[in-house]
Amino acid sequence: MSHIWTAADGLPGNTITDIIQTKDGYVYMGTYDGLVRFDGINFNIMNRNTDETLGFRSARVVFEDSNCNLWVGSNDEGVARIGVDGVVRYDTSNGLPNNSVRDIVEDKLGNIWVGTASGVVYIKPDGMMSVPDGLDNIDNEHVLAVALYCDTAGRVWLSTSKQGGIYYFSEGRFRHYDVLDYLNKTLGAYTVSAIGQDDLGNLIFGISHNGVVMIKNGVENSPSVFKDIPPCLVNEIYLDRSSNLWFLSDRGVYLLRNGKISKYTSEMGLTDNTINHILEDREGNIWFATDHGGVEKLSLGKFNTYQLNVGVNAICEDLDGNVWVGTDDGILCYRNDEIVDSELTRMTRGIRIRHVGLARNGDLLVSCYSKLGQLRKTKKGIVSWTEKNGIIGDKVRVCVDDRDGNLWIGSTTGLACVQSDGAIRNYNSDQGLCNDYIMSLFVDSKNRLWVGTDGGGIDVIENGRVVQSYNTQSGLSGNVVFKINQDEKGLFWICTGTGISRFDGYNFYNFNAGDGLGTDSIFQMLNDYTETVWITSNRGISSIQKSDFDKYMKGEKKNLVPKFFTKNDGLRSGGVTSTSLSMRDSIGRLYFTLIDGFAVYDPMKATNNKILPNTHIESLHVNGKDVPVHDSDSIVLQPGVKKIDITYTGLSFVSSELVRFRNMLEGFDQDYSDVTALRTVTYTNLKPGNYRFLVNSSNSDGLWSEIPAFISFRIKPYFYQVPLFWVAVAVLIIAVVIAIIKGREKALVVKQLQLETLVQMKTVDLEIEKDNSDRLLKNILPDPVAERLKANQFGNQTIADSFDEATVLFADIVGFTKTTSKHSADDVVMALNDLFSRFDDRAKQMGVEKVKTIGDCYMAVCGLPEPKEGNAQVMVDFARGMYTDLFEYNKTAKIPFEIRIGINCGPVIAGVIGKTKFIYDIWGDTVNVASRMESICTPGHIMVTEAVKNKTIAHVTFDTVDEYEVKGKGKMKGFTL
């Protein structure tokens, strides 16, 4: 499985000069634009432009020593050592023979050897630089170092650009290695481009443009397979952890494994044929630093994908171990991983095969979506059933046989049964099928046939007839049924277009995307021998432990968490198809059908990545400014922190995009966050205090790092955020308050005396106003009614009374309009006020209640609001007194008046009308008749009804009696005083 990164993906260029992985897990690459640190997702470019202390623009050689210092050799700027104590630079100014660095190694004493374009030096652990002995005779100042190598015996090897220039450092000096001098005879001249060893310690040399040679026991003893490496420039010889030898050249990669040479070149997918260096990381991935193609990573895939460029619909293994692959272009037969030709493959060429299965006797069942119909490959030959010889349709999708020897054939137009005696019986909706389009067939442990349809659900056939049907109304997850299976416990697992149904014969339990499956369209479930369930769906291939379904149903798991596989696992495909049939072969390998081939998963060979990821916190940004995180104990943040951004990473290079994280900020969070793919977390408006940020990461197989990465920081408070400040402020406030209280106590005493005096004065005023208000109210209303209204606090209570006996008087000024038309308004009002005030005074003296004035009409009543004996006689006397008052008024009046009066007695209703403006009024037939008496009375007289006359006859003499037509009453007698 290959992954390539180039300049288009973020590299500063496509020429990678060197590549290593440091002990902290990062991958470092040398480029002409500087050192590049890579975490699998992001490239971080480091040079003097990003950090002026580095001092280099290019990085030609990258090396990590035993003390975790990083050494960077540049093209023309010397060497930089990057460590916890900072950056130390070496160049020609402090002893380096040349600023162009070609290679760096460390010997067993901790000395760092630096090969340059004109000489070699070594830097001791104390930092002192020395020139090795032994190169005087070849003029060390002009030695161009090609390669340095420290062998397993501790010797440092040097190859130079000089012909035959191969040396080793032993006993304090360099010595020429003359074992290779025999090459002068065979090649005429030679130079060594690379040095290495095999797992037995034998030295191997790359001879420029002439392959490789092995030296064993002091003599050349190259394996014959070395001849399979063509003449080329070998840039590096590398022994991996599995004892395989890698030869990196300008003509691709050559691998010596199990005594055989295999190659990998640009024609086979390699990004560039010129490989400068190789890296095997701690997870076993192989990286190639190429000259023009960027960097390429090879990882072991979990799947072996066979790309056919045609859709595969079904796979089946026969009893002989042959694997039959049904495609959209015929059937293929694989024997020992190689395609073999047969009568069946030739017969189906160009035919769409929808299903391949195995009959109980070992015959191969092939369903064709064409005129070939259903095929059965027997030991005697191939048998075919088509629409012409009796089955219901030629577009066959699936075929199975039952224990009675019946062959069931499902097509797009119904179901056919080829019985053991050869007779054919067809089924469709007329014979009870819920749908004619057959998607899947399954024979259960009771020899019943389960028929999955495209939209109608499931029919169960027993003894040749449909005995049961299931659909969504019955509880089935969906009516489009892709596959049906039964496990060892007798439970049915049904894959539908809207989830998985688990059926125990009585009840359905459904699983879908909402339960964590990641999708609703489930095509097939396949079990391996590790109790893992493999699921094909519209999202691809995933797996989950079968026990997780039970745990989820019991509530022991919050949701289902399947693992999905991608191209990073070796699935080089566009996905799976909905009706395809995958299979498990006789030795446990799983074959998955794909839209462009098939993939094989071998549980015995596929291993999970057990290397835990290294987690690092990469940066801390406070209010948009970078804060170094190298010394987590010394991070003190000044007051005013508004925003904190923390960037982190998890180093796992098998599938870096599947690395997940969980984090927590102690002092703020109560627990770790939910699992996330984000690599940055932001906090805003944190309070002053101490915090510790922790983050864990997991690799693509869900294994979490044991120790979280963390940083601690303290946010300093402003002076006003310190508790002591607030204590001082509180003391000051208390002192000020006490002083204010003391001052206010004195002022309050004076103020209290003033207020008491003012209250007394206001109380007197209020009492006066109350008396005025009461007086005014009593002028408007009768005294008892006014008291009742006050007792109700002028609320919503209705004041209304019925009186059995009362006498009502109406008095009207005769010709008022004509009389007053020649006078001013002031004169008219003054005249009315003078006259009516005289009436009011008399009414008060005689116990008569004035009801109201209506224009020039005066209305009064006697006998209410409190009953009064002889009220009729009182009212008659009051009427006579009114004429006396009129006589006195006219003596001096500017506007003399003449009146007439009508009186009646009887039952009346009285009450208060209004909420803000009150009026006491009376109603009833008695009132109306009194008004009629007034209107028919002769001016200057008093007209009473017979009721009044009967109550007053003992004291009053009546002059005349007449009958009058009274509106609403008919003829009534009126009596004039």
Side-chain angles (χ1 to χ4, degrees), residues 389-431:
N389 55 18
I391 66 171
I392 199 168
D394 284 339
K395 290 187 176 181
V396 180
R397 296 184 59 89
V398 61
C399 179
V400 298
D401 64 338
D402 61 23
R403 294 183 184 83
D404 296 329
N406 300 313
L407 192 67
W408 297 88
I409 302 170
S411 71
T412 59
T413 52
L415 177 67
C417 176
V418 180
Q419 299 175 6
S420 56
D421 59 1
I424 297 176
R425 181 180 177 183
N426 291 320
Y427 299 79
N428 57 21
S429 54
D430 294 336
Q431 284 75 40

Side-chain angles (χ1 to χ4, degrees), residues 641-653:
V641 173
K642 299 295 184 182
K643 180 182 178 184
I644 293 179
D645 298 299
I646 303 173
T647 301
Y648 45 83
T649 189
L651 301 179
S652 176
F653 293 97

Side-chain angles (χ1 to χ4, degrees), residues 269-316:
L270 181 63
T271 182
D272 179 37
N273 268 342
T274 300
I275 311 298
N276 293 323
H277 286 284
I278 186 175
L279 162 68
E280 181 184 20
D281 67 23
R282 64 194 189 97
E283 296 168 292
N285 303 301
I286 299 295
W287 301 68
F288 300 130
T290 74
D291 204 47
H292 296 97
V295 64
E296 179 172 352
K297 174 179 69 81
L298 297 181
S299 302
L300 291 175
K302 299 181 185 301
F303 293 85
N304 186 16
T305 302
Y306 294 76
Q307 292 183 318
L308 301 177
N309 297 321
V310 66
V312 175
N313 300 311
I315 296 184
C316 177

Side-chain angles (χ1 to χ4, degrees), residues 69-122:
N69 296 305
L70 191 63
W71 296 77
V72 181
S74 69
N75 258 341
D76 197 29
E77 295 153 314
V79 175
R81 186 190 72 190
I82 305 171
V84 294
D85 55 350
V87 179
V88 179
R89 295 165 57 185
Y90 300 90
D91 54 29
T92 54
S93 66
N94 56 5
L96 199 67
N98 191 287
N99 283 338
S100 180
V101 178
R102 301 307 175 95
D103 208 353
I104 302 174
V105 298
E106 181 180 16
D107 64 23
K108 291 192 175 182
L109 298 177
N111 300 311
I112 303 300
W113 294 74
V114 181
T116 74
S118 56
V120 178
V121 296
Y122 62 91

Side-chain angles (χ1 to χ4, degrees), residues 569-584:
D569 300 294
L571 282 175
R572 302 189 305 274
S573 172
V576 299
T577 58
S578 61
T579 57
S580 59
L581 178 67
S582 301
M583 70 109 176
R584 187 178 83 182

